[in-house]
Amino acid sequence: MERLARADAKEWTPLLSAATAARANAYAPYSKYAVGAALLCDDGTIVAACNVENASYGGAICAERSAVVAAVAAGKRTFVACVVVTQSDPAGSPCGFCRQVLKEFAQDMPILLVSATSGARRIVRLAELLPDAFGPNDLAPRR
Ligand code: THU
């Protein structure tokens, strides 16, 4: 997915549309901070989700982790790109928990961060957001 190295590549369009549509369903009555995330799976499937908050605040789940959960439930376990749409300008970046959870199912991937307020875009990479990460390979049996 070399084309996805550029923030303005047209290949991002379906992912951005899916993340934006999911963001419209965000359940964020406490923070009022709506987030949409979309994952591109290795078979070309797109899975999108939003943040879902809770009256017991700690029960909230971010859009990125919701998308991972939805994708895994649909049988998808390898992700190759991600879009996150927030209202921040510049666009917000995934929280630490989400970085770790994304790492479980992606070696490295471009993540397009988009501001719903200004439309400003930037690309970060998962490996740059979570350097020297602990991951599934660390638990693999020694050979
Ligand atoms: N949130 C996300 O969904 N993704 C992020 O990367 C950062 C934060 C959500 C969690 C909570 O519902 C709200 O945004 C404010 O933190």
Side-chain angles (χ1 to χ4, degrees), residues 12-28:
W12 284 111
T13 305
L15 273 167
L16 178 53
S17 300
T20 301
R23 182 174 178 267
N25 293 328
Y27 179 72

Side-chain angles (χ1 to χ4, degrees), residues 62-128:
C62 293
E64 298 90 322
R65 273 175 291 150
S66 297
V68 169
V69 170
V72 171
K76 320 293 177 188
R77 294 186 178 178
T78 305
F79 311 137
V80 297
C82 179
V83 171
V84 183
V85 183
T86 57
Q87 67 205 41
S88 306
D89 186 18
S93 188
C95 80
F97 290 120
C98 289
R99 294 174 190 202
Q100 183 67 40
V101 171
L102 288 168
K103 162 63 189 172
E104 187 75 17
F105 302 104
Q107 273 309 306
D108 183 22
M109 64 177 168
I111 303 176
L112 181 69
L113 306 176
V114 181
S115 167
T117 305
S118 69
R121 301 175 174 206
R122 65 194 161 106
I123 287 182
V124 293
R125 295 201 64 99
L126 182 58
E128 147 197 12

